Amino acid sequence: MSHSPDLNTPSEPPRVPALLRRRQALQAGGVVLLMGLTELAWGASIVAVRVWPAPDYTRVTIESDGALTARQTFVANPPRLAVDIDGIEMNPALRELVAKVKADDPFISGIRVGQYAPGVVRLVIDLKQPALPQVFTLPPVAAYQHRLVFDLYPTVAADPLEALIAERLQDSRQSPTPPAPASTGMASKPAALPDPLGELIAQRNPATASTPGRPELKPSPNLSSPGTAHSTAQAPVNVSPPAPPVRPSKPAATESAEAQATDRLIIIALDPGHGGEDPGATGPSGTREKDVVLSIAHLLRERINATTVKGNPMRAFMTRDADFFVPLHVRVDKARRVQADLFVSIHADAFITPAARGASVFALSQSGASSAAARWMADKENRADQVGGLNVKVQDATVQRALLDMSTTAQINDSLKLGTALLGEISAVGRLHKPKVEQAGFAVLKAPDIPSVLVETAFISNPEEEARLRSPEYQNQLADAVMRGIERYFSRNPPLARNRSA
């Protein structure tokens, strides 16, 4: 007789006499070992449980010493996911899931767990909003054993470009009378022309055209989520400069300088490497790469958001701004969705010996790696999806990676120029591992239309450099150096005017 699924409360296990349970276990060829509070039953035991909340999606991971199978049922009202896991019994590790849910988790309101039947544990995940669940398994890799993964994606994902627009509009409202724009070619501290994004919003919302400072944002088409590389084609929105007010005539030189300004938002995609299940490299003292590079990226974002180029505001977009896993192809897809002008992936190097040291900058290569070390580094970074946990059953992920494998010669040349500018500035604050930009087939650098570089800030495997990477002083120096490199690049390669779709 099959059990009808009870999605409200996991049922208690049927009461079976201990002698009968022992006899059944022996007949099945198994042996039940009772070791304190931890039960090892039905051939698998739980090693660890983890919850990774993030605005993009929330992940729940159950790690075990043997492969697990699961059957899931999703109920829309109220939204909840029920998962029956075969081959395990209730133990303290599973009960830890209940306490691991944070109050600010954007998707999960609570988790309930109980014994549904002998050898079957039922997990009920109560949700704060409708979600698109993915349930899949991962084989052992690196330090991980078998993993059963539940990913919860929003039914309508947020549009990252729209979020940047909202940030920009908020800044505009906080600075109603900005100073006159700088006329120099180098990037300068915040100064503003009339906000082109306000005009963009006014075009999208004619009803608010009379008050461009306070537009009403409309939801945009779905953004592809990690592991679901769906995208919706959108017609570009032509952005025209705001009509200039009537004012006294200006000298020709001044008018010429203003005409050279691109008059648009300049977007820098920052990509802190690894995250979530993927810690990246780990230093001798336990420093995790994913934590260090995220800290540096936050510092760099502050500097980018406080800078303009020829009077045009810059804005940083982060592929992840918290501790969660983002597949490599999704990092590139995110940068393309916001039409980033540059893509900077931030990492901390590691090698098999602690003697290696120094920072490096890498660009993409279409014709093989520039050195054996560059090839080794690209291979290591490209394995991030295996450790982080990519759902390979999602077919669109493979298609998306193939589409991104089209980087042009022009993109690579611009990437080398950007990398050279960054190396020149980083050399002022620390030692370089190589004095020139190296090239290899990094998957995360394969945006065909965005100059892209990968910065290895230092060797975290070197004890001295690990200590520097942990230092707030050195992190600030690195952020300053990368910011100066971006400024230097734009001083020699002004951003081109482009239409943006929101």
Coordinates of all heavy atoms in Angstrom, one line a residue, residues 43-131:
G43 N 22.6 2.0 4.6 CA 23.8 2.2 3.7 C 24.2 3.6 3.5 O 25.2 3.8 2.7
A44 N 23.7 4.6 4.1 CA 24.1 6.0 3.9 C 24.0 6.8 5.3 O 23.0 6.5 6.0 CB 23.4 6.7 2.8
S45 N 24.9 7.7 5.5 CA 24.7 8.6 6.7 C 25.0 10.0 6.2 O 25.7 10.2 5.2 CB 25.7 8.2 7.8 OG 27.0 8.3 7.3
I46 N 24.4 10.9 6.9 CA 24.6 12.4 6.6 C 25.9 12.9 7.1 O 26.2 12.7 8.3 CB 23.4 13.2 7.1 CG1 22.1 12.6 6.7 CG2 23.5 14.6 6.7 CD1 21.9 12.5 5.2
V47 N 26.6 13.5 6.2 CA 27.9 14.1 6.6 C 27.8 15.6 7.0 O 28.3 16.0 8.0 CB 28.9 14.0 5.4 CG1 30.2 14.7 5.8 CG2 29.2 12.5 5.1
A48 N 27.0 16.3 6.3 CA 26.8 17.7 6.6 C 25.5 18.2 5.8 O 25.1 17.6 4.9 CB 28.0 18.6 6.1
V49 N 24.9 19.3 6.4 CA 23.8 20.0 5.7 C 24.2 21.5 5.7 O 24.8 22.0 6.6 CB 22.5 19.8 6.5 CG1 22.1 18.3 6.4 CG2 22.6 20.2 7.9
R50 N 23.8 22.1 4.5 CA 24.1 23.5 4.3 C 23.0 24.2 3.7 O 22.3 23.6 2.8 CB 25.4 23.6 3.5 CG 26.7 23.1 4.2 CD 27.9 23.2 3.3 NE 27.8 22.3 2.1 CZ 28.2 21.0 2.1 NH1 28.7 20.5 3.3 NH2 28.2 20.3 1.1
V51 N 22.8 25.5 4.0 CA 21.8 26.4 3.3 C 22.5 27.6 2.9 O 23.2 28.3 3.6 CB 20.7 26.7 4.3 CG1 19.7 27.6 3.6 CG2 20.0 25.5 4.8
W52 N 22.3 28.0 1.6 CA 23.0 29.1 1.0 C 22.0 30.1 0.5 O 21.5 30.0 -0.7 CB 23.9 28.7 -0.2 CG 24.9 27.7 0.2 CD1 24.9 26.3 0.0 CD2 26.2 27.9 0.8 NE1 26.0 25.7 0.4 CE2 26.8 26.6 0.9 CE3 26.9 29.0 1.3 CZ2 28.1 26.5 1.5 CZ3 28.1 28.9 1.8 CH2 28.7 27.6 2.0
P53 N 21.5 31.0 1.3 CA 20.5 32.0 0.8 C 21.1 33.1 0.0 O 22.2 33.5 0.2 CB 19.9 32.6 2.1 CG 21.1 32.5 3.1 CD 21.8 31.2 2.7
A54 N 20.4 33.6 -1.1 CA 20.9 34.6 -1.9 C 19.7 35.2 -2.7 O 18.7 34.6 -2.9 CB 22.0 34.1 -2.9
P55 N 19.8 36.5 -3.1 CA 18.7 37.1 -3.9 C 18.4 36.3 -5.1 O 17.3 36.3 -5.6 CB 19.2 38.5 -4.1 CG 20.2 38.8 -3.1 CD 20.9 37.5 -2.8
D56 N 19.5 35.8 -5.8 CA 19.3 35.0 -7.0 C 18.5 33.7 -6.8 O 17.6 33.4 -7.6 CB 20.6 34.7 -7.7 CG 21.3 36.0 -8.2 OD1 21.0 37.1 -7.7 OD2 22.1 35.8 -9.2
Y57 N 18.9 33.0 -5.8 CA 18.3 31.7 -5.5 C 18.8 31.2 -4.2 O 19.9 31.7 -3.7 CB 18.5 30.7 -6.6 CG 19.9 30.1 -6.7 CD1 20.2 28.8 -6.3 CD2 21.0 30.9 -7.0 CE1 21.5 28.3 -6.4 CE2 22.3 30.4 -7.1 CZ 22.5 29.0 -6.7 OH 23.8 28.5 -6.8
T58 N 18.1 30.3 -3.6 CA 18.6 29.7 -2.3 C 18.8 28.2 -2.6 O 18.1 27.5 -3.3 CB 17.5 29.8 -1.2 OG1 17.5 31.2 -0.8 CG2 17.9 28.9 0.0
R59 N 20.0 27.7 -2.1 CA 20.4 26.3 -2.2 C 20.4 25.6 -0.9 O 20.9 26.2 0.1 CB 21.7 26.3 -2.9 CG 22.4 24.9 -2.8 CD 23.6 24.8 -3.7 NE 23.2 24.7 -5.1 CZ 24.1 24.4 -6.1 NH1 25.3 24.1 -5.8 NH2 23.7 24.5 -7.4
V60 N 19.9 24.4 -0.9 CA 20.0 23.5 0.3 C 20.7 22.3 -0.1 O 20.4 21.7 -1.2 CB 18.6 23.1 0.8 CG1 18.7 22.1 2.0 CG2 17.8 24.3 1.2
T61 N 21.8 22.0 0.6 CA 22.6 20.8 0.3 C 22.7 19.8 1.4 O 22.8 20.2 2.6 CB 24.1 21.3 0.0 OG1 24.1 22.3 -1.1 CG2 25.0 20.1 -0.4
I62 N 22.4 18.6 1.1 CA 22.6 17.5 2.0 C 23.7 16.6 1.5 O 23.6 16.0 0.4 CB 21.3 16.6 2.1 CG1 20.2 17.5 2.7 CG2 21.5 15.4 3.1 CD1 18.8 16.8 2.8
E63 N 24.8 16.5 2.3 CA 26.0 15.7 1.9 C 26.0 14.4 2.7 O 25.8 14.4 3.9 CB 27.3 16.5 2.2 CG 28.5 15.9 1.7 CD 29.8 16.7 1.9 OE1 29.6 17.8 2.5 OE2 30.9 16.2 1.7
S64 N 26.3 13.3 2.0 CA 26.2 12.0 2.6 C 27.4 11.2 2.1 O 28.0 11.5 1.1 CB 24.9 11.3 2.3 OG 24.7 11.2 0.9
D65 N 27.6 10.1 2.8 CA 28.7 9.2 2.4 C 28.3 8.2 1.4 O 29.1 7.3 1.0 CB 29.3 8.5 3.6 CG 28.3 7.6 4.3 OD1 27.2 7.5 3.9 OD2 28.7 7.0 5.3
G66 N 27.1 8.2 1.0 CA 26.6 7.3 -0.1 C 25.5 8.1 -0.9 O 25.0 9.1 -0.5
A67 N 25.3 7.6 -2.1 CA 24.3 8.2 -3.0 C 22.9 8.1 -2.4 O 22.5 7.1 -1.9 CB 24.4 7.6 -4.4
L68 N 22.2 9.2 -2.5 CA 20.8 9.3 -2.1 C 19.9 9.5 -3.3 O 20.3 10.1 -4.3 CB 20.6 10.5 -1.1 CG 21.4 10.4 0.2 CD1 21.2 11.7 1.0 CD2 21.0 9.2 1.0
T69 N 18.7 8.9 -3.2 CA 17.6 9.2 -4.2 C 16.5 9.9 -3.5 O 16.2 9.8 -2.3 CB 17.1 7.9 -4.8 OG1 16.6 7.0 -3.7 CG2 18.3 7.1 -5.5
A70 N 15.8 10.8 -4.3 CA 14.8 11.6 -3.7 C 13.6 11.7 -4.7 O 13.8 11.7 -5.9 CB 15.3 13.0 -3.3
R71 N 12.4 11.9 -4.2 CA 11.2 12.2 -5.0 C 10.6 13.5 -4.4 O 10.5 13.6 -3.2 CB 10.2 11.1 -4.9 CG 10.8 9.7 -5.3 CD 9.8 8.6 -5.1 NE 9.2 8.5 -3.8 CZ 9.9 7.9 -2.8 NH1 11.1 7.4 -3.0 NH2 9.3 7.9 -1.6
Q72 N 10.3 14.5 -5.3 CA 9.8 15.7 -4.8 C 8.4 16.0 -5.3 O 8.0 15.6 -6.4 CB 10.8 16.9 -5.2 CG 10.8 17.2 -6.7 CD 11.9 16.5 -7.4 OE1 12.4 15.5 -6.9 NE2 12.1 16.9 -8.6
T73 N 7.7 16.8 -4.5 CA 6.4 17.3 -4.9 C 6.3 18.8 -4.5 O 6.6 19.1 -3.4 CB 5.3 16.5 -4.2 OG1 5.4 15.1 -4.5 CG2 3.9 17.0 -4.6
F74 N 5.9 19.6 -5.5 CA 5.7 21.0 -5.2 C 4.3 21.4 -5.1 O 3.5 21.0 -6.0 CB 6.4 21.9 -6.3 CG 6.3 23.3 -6.0 CD1 7.2 23.9 -5.1 CD2 5.4 24.1 -6.7 CE1 7.1 25.3 -4.8 CE2 5.4 25.5 -6.5 CZ 6.2 26.1 -5.5
V75 N 3.9 22.1 -4.1 CA 2.5 22.6 -3.9 C 2.6 24.1 -3.9 O 3.4 24.8 -3.3 CB 2.0 22.1 -2.5 CG1 0.6 22.6 -2.3 CG2 1.9 20.6 -2.5
A76 N 1.7 24.7 -4.7 CA 1.7 26.1 -5.0 C 1.1 26.9 -3.9 O 1.4 28.1 -3.7 CB 1.0 26.4 -6.4
N77 N 0.0 26.4 -3.2 CA -0.7 27.3 -2.3 C -1.0 26.5 -1.0 O -1.8 25.6 -1.0 CB -2.0 27.7 -2.9 CG -2.7 28.8 -2.1 OD1 -2.1 29.5 -1.3 ND2 -4.0 28.8 -2.3
P78 N -0.4 26.9 0.1 CA 0.8 27.8 0.2 C 2.0 27.2 -0.4 O 2.1 25.9 -0.4 CB 0.9 28.1 1.7 CG 0.4 26.9 2.4 CD -0.7 26.4 1.5
P79 N 2.9 28.0 -0.9 CA 4.1 27.4 -1.7 C 5.0 26.6 -0.7 O 5.4 27.1 0.3 CB 4.8 28.6 -2.3 CG 4.4 29.7 -1.4 CD 3.0 29.4 -0.9
R80 N 5.2 25.3 -1.1 CA 6.1 24.5 -0.3 C 6.6 23.3 -1.2 O 5.9 22.9 -2.1 CB 5.5 24.0 1.0 CG 4.2 23.1 0.7 CD 3.4 23.0 2.0 NE 2.3 22.2 1.9 CZ 1.1 22.5 1.5 NH1 0.9 23.8 1.0 NH2 0.1 21.7 1.4
L81 N 7.8 22.8 -0.8 CA 8.4 21.7 -1.5 C 8.5 20.6 -0.6 O 9.1 20.7 0.5 CB 9.7 22.1 -2.1 CG 10.6 21.0 -2.8 CD1 9.9 20.6 -4.1 CD2 12.0 21.5 -3.1
A82 N 8.0 19.4 -0.9 CA 8.1 18.2 -0.1 C 9.0 17.2 -0.8 O 8.9 17.0 -2.0 CB 6.8 17.6 0.1
V83 N 10.0 16.7 -0.1 CA 11.0 15.8 -0.7 C 11.1 14.6 0.2 O 11.4 14.7 1.4 CB 12.4 16.5 -0.9 CG1 13.4 15.5 -1.5 CG2 12.3 17.8 -1.6
D84 N 10.9 13.4 -0.4 CA 11.1 12.2 0.2 C 12.5 11.6 -0.1 O 12.8 11.4 -1.3 CB 10.0 11.2 -0.2 CG 8.6 11.5 0.4 OD1 8.6 12.3 1.4 OD2 7.6 11.0 -0.1
I85 N 13.3 11.4 0.9 CA 14.7 10.9 0.7 C 14.8 9.5 1.1 O 14.5 9.1 2.2 CB 15.7 11.8 1.4 CG1 15.5 13.3 1.1 CG2 17.1 11.4 1.1 CD1 16.3 14.2 2.0
D86 N 15.2 8.6 0.2 CA 15.3 7.2 0.4 C 16.6 6.8 1.0 O 17.6 7.4 0.7 CB 15.0 6.4 -0.8 CG 13.6 6.6 -1.4 OD1 12.7 6.8 -0.6 OD2 13.4 6.6 -2.6
G87 N 16.6 5.8 1.8 CA 17.9 5.2 2.3 C 18.5 5.8 3.5 O 19.7 5.5 3.8
I88 N 17.8 6.6 4.3 CA 18.3 7.2 5.5 C 17.3 7.2 6.6 O 16.1 7.1 6.3 CB 18.8 8.7 5.3 CG1 17.7 9.6 4.8 CG2 20.0 8.7 4.3 CD1 18.0 11.0 4.7
E89 N 17.7 7.3 7.8 CA 16.9 7.5 9.0 C 17.2 8.9 9.6 O 18.2 9.5 9.3 CB 17.2 6.4 10.0 CG 16.9 5.0 9.5 CD 15.5 4.6 9.4 OE1 14.7 5.3 10.1 OE2 15.1 3.7 8.7
M90 N 16.2 9.4 10.4 CA 16.4 10.6 11.0 C 17.7 10.6 11.9 O 17.9 9.6 12.6 CB 15.2 11.0 11.9 CG 14.1 11.6 11.1 SD 14.6 13.2 10.5 CE 14.9 14.1 12.0
N91 N 18.4 11.7 11.9 CA 19.6 11.8 12.8 C 19.8 13.3 13.1 O 19.1 14.2 12.5 CB 20.8 11.1 12.2 CG 21.3 11.8 10.9 OD1 20.9 12.9 10.6 ND2 22.0 11.1 10.1
P92 N 20.6 13.6 14.1 CA 20.8 15.0 14.5 C 21.3 15.9 13.3 O 20.9 17.1 13.3 CB 21.9 14.9 15.6 CG 21.7 13.5 16.2 CD 21.3 12.7 15.0
A93 N 22.1 15.4 12.4 CA 22.5 16.2 11.3 C 21.4 16.8 10.5 O 21.4 17.9 10.1 CB 23.5 15.4 10.4
L94 N 20.4 15.9 10.2 CA 19.2 16.4 9.4 C 18.4 17.4 10.2 O 17.9 18.4 9.6 CB 18.3 15.2 9.1 CG 18.8 14.3 7.9 CD1 17.9 13.1 7.7 CD2 18.7 15.2 6.6
R95 N 18.3 17.2 11.5 CA 17.6 18.2 12.3 C 18.2 19.6 12.3 O 17.6 20.6 12.6 CB 17.4 17.6 13.8 CG 16.5 16.4 13.9 CD 16.2 16.1 15.3 NE 15.3 14.9 15.4 CZ 15.7 13.6 15.5 NH1 17.1 13.4 15.7 NH2 14.9 12.6 15.6
E96 N 19.5 19.6 12.1 CA 20.2 20.9 12.0 C 19.7 21.8 10.9 O 19.9 23.0 11.0 CB 21.7 20.7 11.8 CG 22.5 20.1 13.0 CD 23.9 19.9 12.7 OE1 24.4 20.3 11.7 OE2 24.6 19.2 13.5
L97 N 19.1 21.2 9.9 CA 18.6 22.0 8.8 C 17.6 23.0 9.3 O 17.5 24.2 8.8 CB 17.9 21.1 7.7 CG 18.8 20.7 6.6 CD1 18.0 19.7 5.7 CD2 19.4 21.8 5.8
V98 N 16.8 22.6 10.3 CA 15.7 23.5 10.8 C 16.3 24.8 11.3 O 15.8 25.9 11.1 CB 14.9 22.8 11.9 CG1 13.9 23.8 12.5 CG2 14.3 21.6 11.4
A99 N 17.5 24.7 12.0 CA 18.1 25.9 12.6 C 18.9 26.7 11.6 O 19.3 27.8 11.9 CB 18.9 25.5 13.8
K100 N 19.2 26.1 10.5 CA 20.1 26.8 9.5 C 19.4 27.8 8.7 O 20.0 28.6 7.9 CB 20.8 25.8 8.7 CG 21.9 25.0 9.4 CD 22.6 24.1 8.5 CE 23.8 23.4 9.2 NZ 24.9 24.3 9.5
V101 N 18.1 27.8 8.7 CA 17.3 28.8 7.9 C 17.3 30.2 8.6 O 17.0 30.3 9.7 CB 15.8 28.4 7.7 CG1 15.0 29.4 7.0 CG2 15.8 27.0 7.0
K102 N 17.8 31.2 7.8 CA 17.9 32.5 8.4 C 16.6 33.3 8.1 O 15.9 33.1 7.2 CB 19.1 33.3 7.7 CG 20.4 32.6 8.0 CD 21.5 33.4 7.4 CE 22.9 32.7 7.6 NZ 24.0 33.4 7.0
A103 N 16.4 34.3 9.0 CA 15.1 35.0 8.9 C 15.1 35.9 7.6 O 14.0 36.1 7.1 CB 15.0 36.0 10.1
D104 N 16.2 36.3 7.1 CA 16.3 37.1 5.9 C 16.4 36.3 4.7 O 16.6 36.9 3.6 CB 17.4 38.2 6.0 CG 18.8 37.5 6.2 OD1 18.8 36.3 6.3 OD2 19.8 38.2 6.1
D105 N 16.3 35.0 4.7 CA 16.3 34.2 3.5 C 15.2 34.6 2.6 O 14.0 34.7 3.0 CB 16.1 32.7 3.9 CG 16.4 31.8 2.7 OD1 15.8 32.0 1.6 OD2 17.2 30.8 2.8
P106 N 15.5 35.0 1.4 CA 14.4 35.5 0.5 C 13.4 34.5 0.0 O 12.3 34.8 -0.5 CB 15.2 36.1 -0.7 CG 16.5 35.4 -0.7 CD 16.8 35.0 0.7
F107 N 13.7 33.2 0.2 CA 12.8 32.2 -0.3 C 12.3 31.2 0.7 O 11.1 30.9 0.7 CB 13.6 31.3 -1.4 CG 14.0 32.1 -2.6 CD1 15.3 32.6 -2.7 CD2 13.1 32.3 -3.6 CE1 15.6 33.3 -3.8 CE2 13.5 33.0 -4.8 CZ 14.7 33.5 -4.9
I108 N 13.1 30.8 1.7 CA 12.6 29.8 2.6 C 12.2 30.4 3.9 O 12.9 31.2 4.6 CB 13.8 28.8 3.0 CG1 14.2 28.1 1.7 CG2 13.3 27.8 4.0 CD1 15.4 27.1 1.9
S109 N 10.9 30.1 4.4 CA 10.4 30.6 5.7 C 10.7 29.6 6.8 O 10.8 29.9 7.9 CB 8.9 30.9 5.6 OG 8.2 29.7 5.3
G110 N 10.9 28.3 6.4 CA 11.1 27.3 7.4 C 11.3 25.9 6.8 O 10.9 25.7 5.6
I111 N 11.9 25.0 7.5 CA 12.1 23.6 7.1 C 11.6 22.7 8.2 O 11.9 22.9 9.4 CB 13.6 23.3 6.7 CG1 14.0 24.2 5.5 CG2 13.8 21.8 6.5 CD1 15.5 23.9 5.2
R112 N 10.8 21.7 7.8 CA 10.4 20.6 8.7 C 10.9 19.3 8.2 O 10.9 19.1 7.0 CB 8.9 20.6 8.8 CG 8.3 21.9 9.5 CD 6.8 21.9 9.3 NE 6.4 22.3 7.9 CZ 5.3 21.9 7.3 NH1 4.5 21.0 7.8 NH2 5.1 22.3 6.1
V113 N 11.3 18.4 9.1 CA 11.9 17.2 8.7 C 11.4 16.1 9.7 O 11.2 16.3 10.9 CB 13.4 17.2 8.7 CG1 14.0 17.6 10.1 CG2 14.0 15.9 8.2
G114 N 11.0 14.9 9.1 CA 10.6 13.8 10.0 C 10.7 12.5 9.3 O 10.9 12.5 8.0
Q115 N 10.5 11.4 10.0 CA 10.6 10.1 9.4 C 9.2 9.8 8.8 O 8.2 9.7 9.5 CB 10.9 9.1 10.5 CG 11.4 7.7 10.0 CD 12.8 7.8 9.5 OE1 13.7 8.4 10.1 NE2 13.0 7.3 8.3
Y116 N 9.2 9.6 7.5 CA 7.9 9.3 6.8 C 7.6 7.8 6.8 O 6.4 7.4 7.0 CB 8.0 9.8 5.4 CG 6.8 9.6 4.6 CD1 5.6 10.2 4.9 CD2 6.8 8.8 3.4 CE1 4.4 9.9 4.2 CE2 5.7 8.6 2.7 CZ 4.5 9.2 3.0 OH 3.4 8.9 2.3
A117 N 8.6 7.0 6.7 CA 8.5 5.5 6.7 C 9.9 5.0 7.0 O 10.9 5.7 7.0 CB 8.0 5.0 5.4
P118 N 10.0 3.7 7.3 CA 11.3 3.2 7.6 C 12.2 3.4 6.3 O 11.9 3.0 5.2 CB 11.0 1.7 7.8 CG 9.6 1.6 8.3 CD 8.9 2.7 7.6
G119 N 13.4 4.0 6.6 CA 14.3 4.3 5.5 C 13.9 5.4 4.6 O 14.5 5.7 3.6
V120 N 12.9 6.2 5.0 CA 12.4 7.3 4.1 C 12.2 8.5 5.1 O 11.4 8.5 6.0 CB 11.1 7.0 3.4 CG1 10.7 8.3 2.6 CG2 11.3 5.8 2.5
V121 N 13.0 9.6 4.8 CA 12.8 10.8 5.5 C 12.2 11.9 4.6 O 12.5 12.0 3.5 CB 14.2 11.4 6.0 CG1 14.1 12.8 6.5 CG2 14.8 10.5 7.1
R122 N 11.2 12.5 5.2 CA 10.5 13.6 4.4 C 10.9 14.9 4.9 O 11.0 15.3 6.1 CB 8.9 13.5 4.6 CG 8.2 14.7 4.1 CD 6.7 14.4 3.8 NE 6.6 13.5 2.6 CZ 5.4 13.1 2.1 NH1 4.3 13.6 2.6 NH2 5.4 12.3 1.1
L123 N 11.3 15.8 3.9 CA 11.7 17.1 4.1 C 10.6 18.1 3.5 O 10.3 17.9 2.4 CB 13.0 17.4 3.4 CG 13.9 18.5 3.9 CD1 14.5 18.2 5.3 CD2 15.1 18.6 2.9
V124 N 10.1 19.0 4.3 CA 9.2 20.0 3.8 C 9.8 21.3 3.9 O 10.1 21.8 5.0 CB 7.8 19.9 4.6 CG1 6.9 21.0 4.0 CG2 7.2 18.5 4.4
I125 N 9.9 22.0 2.8 CA 10.5 23.4 2.8 C 9.4 24.3 2.5 O 8.8 24.4 1.4 CB 11.6 23.5 1.7 CG1 12.7 22.4 1.9 CG2 12.2 24.9 1.6 CD1 13.7 22.4 0.8
D126 N 9.0 25.1 3.5 CA 8.0 26.1 3.4 C 8.6 27.4 2.8 O 9.7 27.9 3.2 CB 7.4 26.5 4.8 CG 6.7 25.3 5.4 OD1 5.9 24.7 4.7 OD2 7.0 24.9 6.5
L127 N 7.9 28.0 1.8 CA 8.5 29.1 1.0 C 7.8 30.4 1.3 O 6.6 30.4 1.6 CB 8.4 28.7 -0.5 CG 9.1 27.4 -0.9 CD1 8.8 27.1 -2.4 CD2 10.6 27.5 -0.6
K128 N 8.5 31.5 1.1 CA 8.0 32.8 1.2 C 7.3 33.3 0.0 O 6.5 34.3 0.0 CB 9.1 33.8 1.7 CG 9.7 33.5 3.0 CD 10.7 34.5 3.3 CE 11.3 34.3 4.7 NZ 12.5 35.2 5.0
Q129 N 7.6 32.7 -1.2 CA 7.1 33.1 -2.5 C 7.1 31.9 -3.4 O 7.8 30.9 -3.1 CB 8.0 34.2 -3.0 CG 9.5 33.8 -3.2 CD 10.3 34.8 -3.9 OE1 10.0 35.1 -5.1 NE2 11.3 35.3 -3.2
P130 N 6.3 31.9 -4.4 CA 6.4 30.9 -5.4 C 7.8 30.7 -6.0 O 8.5 31.7 -6.1 CB 5.4 31.3 -6.5 CG 4.5 32.3 -5.8 CD 5.3 33.0 -4.8
A131 N 8.2 29.5 -6.3 CA 9.5 29.2 -6.7 C 9.5 28.1 -7.8 O 8.6 27.4 -7.9 CB 10.4 28.8 -5.5

